[in-house]
Amino acid sequence: MSGVFILGDDLMVDTAQSTANIANQDEADTPTVDARDSGGARSSRFVGGVLLLILIAMWIGGWYSGTSTEEMLSLTAWGVMLGGIIALGGIGLTLCYGVLKFPNFAHGEFLTLGAYVTYGVILVLPKSNPIWLFSFGWELVIGLLLAAVVTAIVAVVIDRVLYRPLRKHQSPLVLLAMASLGMEFLLRGIVYLTWGSDYHFYYSGRANPALYLPFGLRLQADQLFVFALAIVLVVMLYWMLTRTRMGKAMRATADNPDLAQVRGINTEQVIAWTWSIGAGLAAIGGVMYGLASQMRPDMGFVLLLPIFAAVIMGGIGSAWGALVGSIIIGVAMQLTSAFMNPAYGPAVAFILMVLVLLMRPQGLFAQH
């Protein structure tokens, strides 16, 4: 990592500050927009309060449908766990968008690829005893790490073969978006050809008992592991972006890639690291989804809309915003299952995304 730059830390900070000054100048040129979005119905507090009222209304709807308080608490906890899975995909998506400035519709397939690579590793390695109260053994941990590496390599190769030539020719944004959509279908087709169209489980038939917690809350140890891992990875990513040379280079490149390149930052190396980190996080999220539910070839496509909704809701470019938005989306999708068909969950995510776009287009944690 030290060989990526020819600048020292002081000059790297100066680059980030220079690009930040340019962004601040742009903001100064549009004071009316900032004033409009910083208060009243467009403030983050107001929009957050509206979303909280919607979740409370979902609770009331669950009660009226006959769902007990204990079951509603469990659904809320499961929604937080689902939010952790969505966050792992959403953080990688917002990181790639912040640096590359285009929506990568193939990002959901990185989740699918990570889940199925881990499944292949588990089939090859001998089964070990479950770790603590979890349903999985050490072979899943090994498969998870290997899947993150493999998916990161695939993402970098795709960038080298497809996206980098388009960037060099200064292709319009819509062309990059359409290219990523085509790559999404290609990756899903590879999964179908390799593993088939059937659903799979990491540990078919293995017991996964629930933990009985206070207030009648029932959770599986795997669900606690999923959310704890998501929190740890978010904290690590935040530390990387704010404390390391690579993180400063990513922020400088995201603010102004041309200025960052002039000041000596190897932007192509930064882009490669961005793809690696984003795809690796997505792969881990796919493994967690397969562990908590089941693997299916279209799982990445199913999660793509909630991931985009969470990123837009939290604010594009904000890791913490992606986490908060993902938890809101996850809880809403689970609570609606108390009084309607769970198949409408993605539609709920879409409705919340549109609501936030109408009230606060830059998201709850917009980066200024």
Side-chain angles (χ1 to χ4, degrees):
M1 190 178 297
S2 60
V4 175
F5 311 107
I6 61 175
L7 298 177
D9 288 339
D10 294 337
L11 195 52
M12 185 70 67
V13 174
D14 181 63
T15 302
Q17 291 175 346
S18 298
T19 54
N21 290 337
I22 295 175
N24 291 335
Q25 182 63 39
D26 293 338
E27 291 179 0
D29 294 337
T30 55
T32 56
V33 176
D34 291 340
R36 181 194 67 186
D37 291 342
S38 61
R42 291 185 179 272
S43 67
S44 58
R45 290 186 178 180
F46 181 82
V47 177
V50 171
L51 293 174
L52 179 60
L53 289 176
I54 291 175
L55 296 180
I56 293 175
M58 291 179 178
W59 259 77
I60 296 175
W63 280 331
Y64 275 108
S65 66
T67 307
S68 66
T69 303
E70 290 78 9
E71 291 176 337
M72 294 299 295
L73 283 172
S74 297
L75 286 174
T76 303
W78 297 343
V80 173
M81 181 273 302
L82 177 61
I85 295 174
I86 296 174
L88 290 175
I91 292 170
L93 180 64
T94 195
L95 184 65
C96 292
Y97 187 91
V99 174
L100 300 170
K101 299 298 187 295
F102 84 95
N104 179 27
F105 293 109
H107 193 78
E109 299 311 309
F110 293 152
L111 282 83
T112 307
L113 183 61
Y116 275 89
V117 169
T118 302
Y119 178 68
V121 172
I122 292 177
L123 291 180
V124 173
L125 296 180
K127 297 293 189 300
S128 64
N129 294 325
I131 304 172
W132 191 52
L133 299 176
F134 304 128
S135 67
F136 57 87
W138 289 108
E139 64 277 0
L140 183 134
V141 178
I142 296 173
L144 183 148
L145 297 175
L146 184 60
V149 174
V150 171
T151 308
I153 294 174
V154 170
V156 172
V157 170
I158 291 174
D159 178 70
R160 290 288 192 270
V161 174
L162 180 61
Y163 300 130
R164 185 161 72 171
L166 294 176
R167 288 197 304 271
K168 287 185 176 180
H169 288 87
Q170 298 181 346
S171 300
L173 175 63
V174 65
L175 186 57
L176 284 165
M178 291 300 99
S180 69
L181 184 61
M183 183 55 62
E184 188 269 338
F185 288 115
L186 176 61
L187 291 176
R188 197 193 317 172
I190 292 174
V191 171
Y192 271 109
L193 290 174
T194 306
W195 285 284
S197 59
D198 295 334
Y199 291 5
H200 297 284
F201 296 89
Y202 286 129
Y203 297 97
S204 181
R206 178 176 289 188
N208 190 12
L211 303 177
Y212 291 90
L213 303 178
F215 306 105
L217 188 62
R218 292 178 299 168
L219 288 176
Q220 295 171 339
D222 290 356
Q223 294 174 321
L224 298 177
F225 173 78
V226 167
F227 185 69
L229 180 61
I231 293 295
V232 169
L233 291 176
V234 171
V235 172
M236 290 176 62
L237 179 63
Y238 180 79
W239 177 85
M240 187 274 295
L241 291 175
T242 57
R243 301 296 182 182
T244 66
R245 297 178 65 192
M246 176 58 66
K248 295 173 184 177
M250 286 181 179
R251 289 157 53 200
T253 303
D255 286 339
N256 193 319
D258 294 331
L259 179 59
Q261 192 169 15
V262 169
R263 299 302 293 270
I265 297 177
N266 189 333
T267 55
E268 287 300 326
Q269 290 281 2
V270 171
I271 290 173
W273 276 99
T274 302
W275 278 114
S276 299
I277 295 172
L281 289 174
I284 294 173
V287 175
M288 295 299 98
Y289 184 80
L291 181 65
S293 179
Q294 59 188 6
M295 288 174 295
R296 42 193 290 193
D298 62 343
M299 56 186 286
F301 181 77
V302 171
L303 289 174
L304 188 61
L305 178 57
I307 288 173
F308 268 99
V311 169
I312 293 173
M313 180 181 295
I316 296 176
S318 172
W320 289 112
L323 176 62
V324 173
S326 298
I327 292 175
I328 294 174
I329 292 295
V331 172
M333 290 176 64
Q334 288 295 322
L335 289 180
T336 52
S337 65
F339 53 88
M340 67 172 60
N341 194 317
Y344 295 113
V348 173
F350 178 77
I351 293 173
L352 292 179
M353 178 187 70
V354 172
L355 179 64
V356 172
L357 283 174
L358 293 175
M359 300 178 66
R360 187 175 170 83
Q362 70 270 44
L364 296 175
F365 295 85
Q367 299 293 299
H368 297 295

